[in-house]
Amino acid sequence: MHQYMTSQTRGQTFFSLFSKGQSNSRCRSLRSYVICTVFLLLFLCYYIIPNEMSASWAITVGLLLPEKLATQTINASLNRVSAVTSAERWKPPEPYYVAYPYKYNLVLNEPEKCQKENPFLILMVPVAPSNTAARDTVRSTWGSERLVGDKTVNVLFLLGLPTSEDRETLQQNLLQEREKYHDLIQSDFWDSYYNLTIKTMVMLEWLSVYCQNASFAMKVDADMFLHVKNLVDMLQSAPKQNYMTGLVARNAMVIRNPTSKWYLPKTVYSQPLYPPYALGLGYVFTLDLPEKLIKAAQHVKSVYIEDVFLGLCMTHLGIPLTDPPDGSLFNVFPVQYNRCRYSKLIATTTHSMRDQVEFWKDLQKPGPYC
Ligand SMILES: *[C@@H]1O[C@H](CO)[C@@H](O)[C@H](O)[C@H]1NC(C)=O
Ligand SMILES: *[C@@H]1O[C@H](CO)[C@@H](O)[C@H](O)[C@H]1NC(C)=O
Ligand SMILES: *[C@@H]1O[C@H](CO)[C@@H](O)[C@H](O)[C@H]1NC(C)=O
């Protein structure tokens, strides 16, 4: 994934090459002079080659190196990838490429949210910057349930940068929305489908910095119906660390049909099966995991399917996913509304925002559920 090298690594590549040449020939004979001249030329070229060309140049240097040395060099540059910062923006060199690990900055933040409210559970909702309607729907339904028994629940929305033509207006509106609700976290990557992995990683980074004291976090899509009380009830008896649950997919086949929304080419992920992963519509985890997952992500090739990527990181960490206590709690297909059924589940997709609002309102009404 990370084909470029840092200038430091390139420097090392050169010097290991140079000192090897020096020890073998001491530049005495004419032949040695020629070799030395070649090295000198290489040296000069190396340092005058403009930045744009250095990636391909590094490959050329790599070809001259013994394979083992080259691998080590590439490995070293991979391990150092998290240190590559702000110098310049890069564009994805190939489709399905994810610009992560990379340092993104927060544009909108609520740094004191967790400190002030000390939540037991924090709900993190990824949503497109322009989708105010979805945010308002969440705020008026399950997002309004801030206290369950003595447990505080917080909701934050995760945004990237708007990509549309009217982005300046959109950003202005977001500033107003922030003043009103104080529930927006925005980072400086382009908000797009293929950047959802970045959004998830920024979420984990945010949690590890600003919300370590919460017990649980849930990533939940804005178009879900969520039963907050049932969720909190389940979590009261859940493990306190190394815990991630939701609808866990096991032995799922990788989709190789290029027209699918979830297509992954073999060049990006070669295994035929995905690792176990919790479906992205809603997964819950303990707050010790964000830091571990961020570390793992430095070593795992990123894929744009965010939940699969977290599954890969969990596999890397050797932490198994936990199935929910009951298979009907999390639902990937919209469950038909029925007061009794909905009073027992935790999360389900819905057909529309209107459904989401109606089901939630109906469940608030007093009276028996079943
Ligand atoms: C690459 O780096 C990792 C972590 O530092 C190390 O465990 C591994 O052995 C290295 N691989 C090679 C081929 O040098
Ligand atoms: C986290 O909780 C501990 C113990 O309750 C407290 O001392 C600490 O200040 C809290 N940290 C934050 C960032 O809220
Ligand atoms: C993802 O965001 C990065 C950083 O803003 C950007 O360079 C890249 O083009 C985006 N990718 C897609 C597919 O939108």
Side-chain angles (χ1 to χ4, degrees):
M1 272 282 123
H2 315 283
Q3 299 95 333
Y4 50 85
M5 292 179 168
T6 65
S7 51
Q8 269 167 309
T9 336
R10 271 186 254 119
Q12 277 168 10
T13 310
F14 173 75
F15 282 116
S16 45
L17 188 73
F18 191 59
S19 52
K20 200 166 189 300
Q22 243 186 353
S23 61
N24 291 345
S25 63
R26 289 169 167 212
C27 306
R28 284 213 189 106
S29 66
L30 183 65
R31 197 162 145 256
S32 305
Y33 273 121
V34 173
I35 290 171
C36 285
T37 312
V38 167
F39 274 119
L40 196 63
L41 277 174
L42 273 175
F43 178 84
L44 288 175
C45 288
Y46 196 81
Y47 283 97
I48 57 169
I49 292 267
N51 250 350
E52 289 76 24
M53 288 176 67
S54 34
S56 57
W57 182 245
I59 292 166
T60 317
V61 174
L63 284 178
L64 293 169
L65 285 168
E67 201 181 336
K68 188 160 162 262
L69 211 58
T71 315
Q72 275 169 5
T73 312
I74 291 165
N75 199 15
S77 77
L78 270 181
N79 293 340
R80 212 171 296 150
V81 83
S82 59
V84 182
T85 47
S86 61
E88 66 203 58
R89 272 295 133 86
W90 74 61
K91 293 197 180 73
E94 49 172 286
Y96 310 106
Y97 175 85
V98 180
Y100 193 88
Y102 185 79
K103 178 89 184 77
Y104 293 99
N105 304 295
L106 294 170
V107 181
L108 299 179
N109 192 8
E110 294 296 331
E112 286 169 5
K113 186 93 174 174
C114 284
Q115 232 171 313
K116 278 189 185 149
E117 305 187 15
N118 197 18
F120 169 74
L121 168 67
I122 182 154
L123 302 171
M124 306 295 283
V125 189
V127 57
S130 60
N131 205 347
T132 320
R135 290 190 289 275
D136 284 340
T137 302
V138 170
R139 287 180 187 122
S140 70
T141 57
W142 47 265
S144 67
E145 299 179 56
R146 295 305 170 85
L147 203 62
V148 179
D150 62 343
K151 305 284 187 219
T152 304
V153 180
N154 277 176
V155 180
L156 285 173
F157 296 97
L158 291 161
L159 326 174
L161 297 175
T163 51
S164 53
E165 294 281 298
D166 56 345
R167 57 177 162 268
E168 274 168 35
T169 323
L170 262 175
Q171 195 61 32
Q172 281 305 316
N173 294 345
L174 287 177
L175 286 175
Q176 288 170 13
E177 208 179 312
R178 189 259 301 260
E179 284 314 305
K180 204 164 163 194
Y181 300 107
H182 291 284
D183 60 4
L184 304 181
I185 304 293
Q186 185 185 34
S187 178
D188 63 348
F189 59 87
W190 296 121
D191 198 304
S192 70
Y193 177 70
Y194 288 107
N195 266 347
L196 283 183
T197 292
I198 297 177
K199 196 177 260 195
T200 293
M201 294 316 293
V202 167
M203 166 185 84
L204 295 176
E205 285 167 11
W206 189 89
L207 288 170
S208 76
V209 173
Y210 298 106
C211 209
Q212 273 188 332
N213 269 7
S215 300
F216 297 93
M218 179 182 198
K219 182 240 148 176
V220 54
D221 285 342
D223 58 356
M224 299 290 291
F225 168 90
L226 190 68
H227 198 305
V228 179
K229 183 177 179 302
N230 289 352
L231 173 60
V232 170
D233 286 347
M234 178 188 79
L235 293 177
Q236 308 239 31
S237 55
K240 301 274 181 278
Q241 53 184 355
N242 287 344
Y243 171 76
M244 184 185 278
T245 193
L247 200 59
V248 181
R250 296 177 201 277
N251 298 317
M253 295 269 287
V254 178
I255 295 168
R256 303 292 190 198
N257 172 2
T259 61
S260 163
K261 188 183 174 190
W262 293 288
Y263 169 64
L264 257 195
K266 280 190 180 163
T267 50
V268 173
Y269 184 82
S270 59
Q271 310 292 316
L273 299 179
Y274 287 127
Y277 69 98
L279 296 192
L281 48 93
Y283 49 81
V284 194
F285 50 96
T286 43
L287 267 296
D288 59 318
L289 282 185
E291 210 176 312
K292 296 176 189 174
L293 287 166
I294 293 162
K295 283 199 182 126
Q298 318 293 314
H299 303 280
V300 177
K301 184 166 172 171
S302 5
V303 297
Y304 72 90
I305 310 176
E306 60 96 20
D307 45 8
V308 166
F309 184 57
L310 285 194
L312 289 166
C313 292
M314 290 293 277
T315 303
H316 181 91
L317 292 168
I319 304 173
L321 285 127
T322 309
D323 282 312
D326 176 335
S328 63
L329 292 175
F330 292 81
N331 300 275
V332 64
F333 299 113
V335 175
Q336 204 186 356
Y337 187 72
N338 142 356
R339 209 170 132 88
C340 183
R341 174 85 176 83
Y342 268 64
S343 72
K344 291 175 181 167
L345 54 73
I346 287 179
T348 177
T349 50
T350 54
H351 285 296
S352 66
M353 278 194 247
R354 216 180 62 198
D355 280 358
Q356 200 181 329
V357 175
E358 276 179 17
F359 301 168
W360 185 83
K361 278 190 178 157
D362 188 71
L363 270 188
Q364 305 309 304
K365 290 181 190 155
Y369 292 116
C370 296

